[in-house]
Amino acid sequence: MTTQTTTPQTPAKDTAGANTGLVAIPPHIGRALATGGGVLTVVSAFLAWTWTSAFPGDLTVYGYPGGLQVLVLIGGALTALFGLASYGVKGLRWLAPAGADSAIKLAALAAFATTWYTIAAMSAQLGGLANLEPGGWIAGIATLTALLGALSLPFERPAPDPFDPDDSSWEQFRHKARHQRTVVKAAFAAGTSKPARELPAFAEILVIVAALTLGLIVFTYGIGTEYDELFVGFLVTAGFGFAAAAKAGLVNRVSALTSKHRTVTMVGAFAAAAAFPFTQSDDQYATIGVYILIFATVALGLNIVVGLAGLLDLGYVAFLGVGAYTAAMVSGSPSSPFDLQLPFWASALLGAAVAMVFGVLIGAPTLRLRGDYLAIVTLGFGEIFRITVLNMDGTSGPDITNGSNGISSIPNLNILGFDFGQEHSFGGFTIARFANYFLLMLLITLVVVVVFRRSSDSRIGRAWIAIREDETAALAMGINGFRVKLIAFALGAALAGLAGSVQAHVTYTVTPEQYQFAHVVPPNSAFLLAAVVLGGMGTISGPLVGAALLYLIPAKLQFLGDYQLFAFGLALVLLMRFRPEGLIPNRRRQLEFHEEAEAPTVLSKAGA
């Protein structure tokens, strides 16, 4: 009897025993070409790519990368770093715990795609390839060489299962033990005597701080792209760069560190987010930031309903509208039928409470339904809410919401003498209106994150997960399914109403058109559900990242005109095809879509 063993790092081989890739180049030569091409790409970014400054970004300066050259430099640097890590360079092995070959391919593809997109854009705008300087040609040849070398590298087995911070202590212990065995096998397969040693605690915290700082830099750069070509290049580089880091196992390694130091991570994440307004010279991009936070907070509330309890709610944006209209009516607006101006904390609590009441009223008669039937009912509720507030104009119904004109002239918030509509200076930094609301919304987001975390770790949270996985089995085990689902529905509605109370003051006006199922500008029910699925159902960071992308990308793709939604939809289709579990999934959902990731472990224990 023989035992068949398979490790995640064992490269594929053909019948002759040689490593195989997409390009017929020996892997050791291909690895050298990829690494050398990455280095040459970095050098080319410091050369002039064109002779005229008519192309945005000013690519005419020697020794100073500008515009898209910075993105190409990043792609080339990633290719070179992963290439050196594949050679076992001391200090760089930590970057690729799951193997560097797949990461080299994606990093080289990022540099190649951004470079040749830039060349094509310059040719189209300037009138042909004759407008390129030698630096542009060097960059094109270098990235092509690196890509060909990367494509000669062998394909790899699936990487180890990602670390899931939502696992129980016993599940985390089993996963850590299995991960250590995998790393040891990979180290011997790569010819090294031992894997990269673990870092001391202070170094792990420094890695977390570096990761959060990098996230802030990437977000600030993406939100501040000044022209269309630069944003497209940013999407290409950021997308392939993240995929390369994930393939190398670096994302899983950082996720394990953040779970180990959870308190440090949470404090650091919100400190990095709070620093965002101070990185802006005006209020232009802080405006986008506050809307992203509103969208993300509502998506996180929907994640309780969809991600934890498994209830498909297509009318969730109506609860945002309930909170917004409630806060607008009691905040001193001249359009409000009530001559009342409550302090913010009272209007926010009232908006959350009224939304929760609506959640109970809607959920009580409908939550006995399942699946598509529940989705249709919630979709109907969303439309009923919009039509109702539209008709409360004094003509078709009572004069409460002012009909299609909505409630306007909502005054700025004033909390303890702090006017959110005025500029304020802190330590030499001046923040304007939307930056003030960004910091307020960040506190609201923190409250929602704490509620989500506490709820998911509680007894009711485990009941939600049981209902999501198999409602029939959960009912057989004694879980009161109706009560559990109603609590999820009410809590999700309350969190949406809380965010809506801030949205009313940020936008100055609430109108029925803002709360449709599908609307050009998010948040709406379709985009909220997409943010949860895209980011990763059942996680905290997933919906936050998904909401940021789903708000930022349409705002930056307006230059596509009528093709904007087509390009956006195509990107979602491709993402769901290649990563259906979401950008930041938990381990349970990833195994649902990629069960073959467990195959090597099973085969290693099988006997023939």
Side-chain angles (χ1 to χ4, degrees), residues 275-467:
F276 168 73
F278 299 96
T279 64
Q280 306 302 309
S281 58
D282 55 42
D283 226 19
Q284 178 183 0
Y285 300 122
T287 305
I288 301 177
V290 69
Y291 286 127
I292 287 177
L293 274 183
I294 293 174
F295 189 15
T297 302
V298 181
L300 194 57
L302 178 62
N303 197 26
I304 293 178
V305 180
V306 177
L308 293 182
L311 305 174
L312 185 55
D313 188 349
L314 298 182
Y316 187 76
V317 75
F319 298 121
L320 177 69
V322 170
Y325 267 95
T326 301
M329 290 179 183
V330 298
S331 296
S333 169
S335 302
S336 172
F338 307 107
D339 187 14
L340 186 63
Q341 185 172 2
L342 298 179
F344 170 70
W345 64 267
S347 62
L349 291 178
L350 184 61
V354 173
M356 178 183 289
V357 171
F358 270 86
V360 173
L361 293 177
I362 299 302
T366 61
L367 285 179
R368 300 187 187 277
L369 302 173
R370 298 186 186 182
D372 298 338
Y373 300 101
L374 177 62
I376 293 173
V377 171
T378 55
L379 176 62
F381 162 67
E383 287 301 299
I384 290 173
F385 167 78
R386 184 182 64 84
I387 295 173
T388 300
V389 296
L390 184 63
N391 289 331
M392 288 184 176
D393 56 357
T395 301
S396 302
D399 187 9
I400 298 178
T401 63
N402 206 21
S404 59
N405 294 324
I407 299 177
S408 59
S409 302
I410 300 173
N412 285 307
L413 287 177
N414 191 304
I415 301 177
L416 299 178
F418 185 91
D419 191 343
F420 282 75
Q422 302 296 324
E423 291 186 351
H424 299 275
S425 297
F426 300 95
F429 294 94
T430 300
I431 57 175
R433 178 179 185 273
F434 283 102
N436 296 329
Y437 280 107
F438 179 91
L439 296 176
L440 174 63
M441 198 62 221
L442 187 62
L443 293 178
I444 301 295
T445 305
L446 176 60
V447 172
V448 175
V449 167
V450 171
V451 170
F452 183 93
R453 170 63 69 183
R454 294 295 184 182
S455 300
S456 61
D457 291 341
S458 66
R459 181 178 180 180
I460 192 68
R462 293 192 293 272
W464 287 336
I465 295 175
I467 291 290

Side-chain angles (χ1 to χ4, degrees), residues 88-230:
V89 176
K90 187 176 181 180
L92 294 179
R93 283 197 342 232
W94 197 89
L95 295 176
D101 286 353
S102 294
I104 294 173
K105 297 174 185 176
L106 291 168
L109 186 58
F112 174 82
T114 306
T115 299
W116 285 93
Y117 166 74
T118 305
I119 292 174
M122 286 193 299
S123 301
Q125 290 191 24
L126 302 179
L129 295 174
N131 293 280
L132 265 64
E133 288 288 295
W137 292 108
I138 294 174
I141 295 172
T143 54
L144 179 60
T145 302
L147 181 61
L148 291 176
L151 293 178
S152 70
L153 299 179
F155 292 96
E156 298 174 355
R157 296 288 185 180
D161 298 336
F163 189 87
D164 184 9
D166 295 328
D167 282 344
S168 64
S169 299
W170 172 243
E171 288 174 326
Q172 292 181 6
F173 172 78
R174 292 179 58 193
H175 175 75
K176 183 176 181 180
R178 182 166 62 250
H179 176 70
Q180 291 295 333
R181 291 195 300 269
T182 304
V183 171
V184 171
K185 290 180 181 180
F188 280 102
T192 59
S193 58
K194 61 180 180 178
R197 60 188 178 89
E198 292 188 1
L199 298 175
F202 76 91
E204 292 178 345
I205 294 176
L206 289 178
V207 171
I208 295 173
V209 172
L212 294 175
T213 303
L214 179 62
L216 175 62
I217 293 173
V218 171
F219 177 77
T220 303
Y221 187 90
I223 205 173
T225 49
E226 298 177 351
Y227 51 95
D228 304 333
E229 293 84 358
L230 184 59

Side-chain angles (χ1 to χ4, degrees), residues 395-603:
T395 301
S396 302
D399 187 9
I400 298 178
T401 63
N402 206 21
S404 59
N405 294 324
I407 299 177
S408 59
S409 302
I410 300 173
N412 285 307
L413 287 177
N414 191 304
I415 301 177
L416 299 178
F418 185 91
D419 191 343
F420 282 75
Q422 302 296 324
E423 291 186 351
H424 299 275
S425 297
F426 300 95
F429 294 94
T430 300
I431 57 175
R433 178 179 185 273
F434 283 102
N436 296 329
Y437 280 107
F438 179 91
L439 296 176
L440 174 63
M441 198 62 221
L442 187 62
L443 293 178
I444 301 295
T445 305
L446 176 60
V447 172
V448 175
V449 167
V450 171
V451 170
F452 183 93
R453 170 63 69 183
R454 294 295 184 182
S455 300
S456 61
D457 291 341
S458 66
R459 181 178 180 180
I460 192 68
R462 293 192 293 272
W464 287 336
I465 295 175
I467 291 290
R468 182 195 67 191
E469 297 298 328
D470 192 329
E471 184 172 353
T472 302
L475 295 176
M477 296 301 295
I479 295 176
N480 188 332
F482 174 76
R483 174 176 169 271
V484 167
K485 291 190 291 185
L486 187 60
I487 293 174
F489 217 70
L491 181 58
L495 296 180
L498 183 62
S501 63
V502 179
Q503 185 203 30
H505 292 85
V506 172
T507 58
Y508 284 127
T509 303
V510 290
T511 58
E513 289 74 16
Q514 296 174 336
Y515 308 107
Q516 300 180 25
F517 169 74
H519 192 258
V520 178
V521 179
N524 55 62
S525 293
F527 273 72
L528 287 170
L529 183 61
V532 174
V533 177
L534 170 68
M537 295 172 60
T539 63
I540 291 178
S541 54
L544 299 179
V545 174
L549 290 176
L550 287 181
Y551 191 93
L552 183 61
I553 293 177
K556 292 289 186 176
L557 291 182
Q558 294 180 1
F559 68 95
L560 293 178
D562 295 337
Y563 296 97
Q564 174 186 351
L565 290 180
F566 172 77
F568 184 65
L570 181 62
L572 290 181
V573 169
L574 292 176
L575 183 63
M576 290 296 99
R577 167 60 182 84
F578 295 103
R579 198 172 179 84
E581 69 275 17
L583 293 174
I584 309 178
N586 60 30
R587 191 163 60 91
R588 294 186 186 93
R589 285 195 60 79
Q590 188 157 37
L591 289 178
E592 291 176 6
F593 292 99
H594 303 285
E595 294 181 358
E596 69 275 8
E598 286 288 339
T601 304
V602 176
L603 290 176

